[in-house]
Amino acid sequence: MAIELKKGNKINLTKKTNVALGEITVNLNWRQGGAKKGFLAKLFGGGGGIDLDLGCLYEMKDGRKGVVQALGKAFGDYANFPYVALDGDDRTGEAAGGENLRINGARVAQFKRLLIFAFIYEGAADWREADGVVTLKYPGQEDLVARLDEYGSTQPMCAMALLENRDDETFSVEKIVRFFDGHQFMDTAFNWGMRWTAGRK
């Protein structure tokens, strides 16, 4: 059974007393197979497709900030700083498991906040048609699901969910779903304060 997140609502991740939060997995999956190819063939011509990437901005309590994403090969590290890792780069949406961010819940006390995002690296589409679904999983609890298909936008960047430290023991999760023209615009909207340069995979 999964809990569907509604935009603007916050849910605290629950944990057992005196037990670390554990591994938190954020999965991004989007339209695959024949339906996806049919739609995208019309958009991009022939066999072209969409390259939808998952990533996150992180801010630690000691002030360190950064990004985990395939762009620039900034895949992160689960066991060591920044305690967030991206498992790979699904360029087509064909991978059954989509893309996954792993967050080290045992290090929750070191985080201030994380902003989960997705962006269209190649191609342009209405996000409603991409049919994206974000699923947050953590040990012993129901999955949290945020669907992106009810929102239409041609802006390539989508801030999907915000995780914030709660009493150094857990995270609150808020569904955001706001669209931007790029990393810098999203950064400014959430007052992250990083410097951005053009990158490539």
Side-chain angles (χ1 to χ4, degrees):
M1 192 76 176
I3 299 172
E4 184 137 359
L5 290 175
K6 302 301 181 184
K7 189 171 180 178
N9 288 352
K10 287 187 179 182
I11 293 178
N12 287 341
L13 302 185
T14 56
K15 61 183 280 295
K16 294 180 180 179
T17 305
N18 299 323
V19 176
L21 193 57
E23 180 177 320
I24 302 163
T25 302
V26 180
N27 172 266
L28 171 66
N29 226 317
W30 65 97
R31 204 158 182 163
Q32 304 176 13
K36 184 193 76 164
K37 289 179 180 176
F39 168 74
L40 292 170
K42 292 177 184 177
L43 264 183
F44 306 116
I50 192 170
D51 183 3
L52 190 61
D53 283 352
L54 176 67
C56 78
L57 298 181
Y58 60 82
E59 181 177 1
M60 314 304 282
K61 290 179 70 176
D62 65 7
R64 288 179 292 177
K65 303 173 183 179
V67 61
V68 173
Q69 61 179 4
L71 191 64
K73 295 182 170 36
F75 289 101
D77 191 308
Y78 180 81
N80 303 293
F81 177 81
Y83 311 113
V84 184
L86 180 66
D87 65 359
D89 180 17
D90 177 12
R91 294 259 179 135
T92 64
E94 294 296 331
E99 293 190 3
N100 296 281
L101 273 170
R102 298 168 57 231
I103 302 167
N104 191 337
R107 299 287 186 168
V108 63
Q110 293 179 244
F111 287 99
K112 180 179 179 181
R113 57 180 180 158
L114 299 113
L115 181 66
I116 310 298
F117 65 81
F119 68 97
I120 300 171
Y121 179 71
E122 289 181 348
D126 188 317
W127 284 85
R128 211 164 9 205
E129 298 291 348
D131 201 19
V133 178
V134 180
T135 305
L136 187 148
K137 302 173 181 283
Y138 64 112
Q141 303 296 329
E142 293 179 298
D143 295 351
L144 302 180
V145 175
R147 300 185 184 277
L148 310 181
D149 56 349
E150 70 265 43
Y151 303 97
S153 176
T154 57
Q155 293 172 291
M157 174 76 67
C158 178
M160 299 185 298
L162 182 66
L163 279 66
E164 295 180 288
N165 182 315
R166 285 291 174 263
D167 301 320
D168 290 345
E169 291 188 351
T170 189
F171 290 107
S172 66
V173 182
E174 179 183 0
K175 181 179 179 180
I176 301 293
V177 190
R178 289 178 59 188
F179 298 92
F180 302 94
D181 286 326
H183 289 73
Q184 182 65 67
F185 295 96
M186 182 177 69
D187 179 304
T188 300
F190 289 91
N191 298 309
W192 227 270
M194 291 171 56
R195 293 182 179 179
W196 295 93
T197 58
R200 59 186 301 177
K201 293 196 269 187

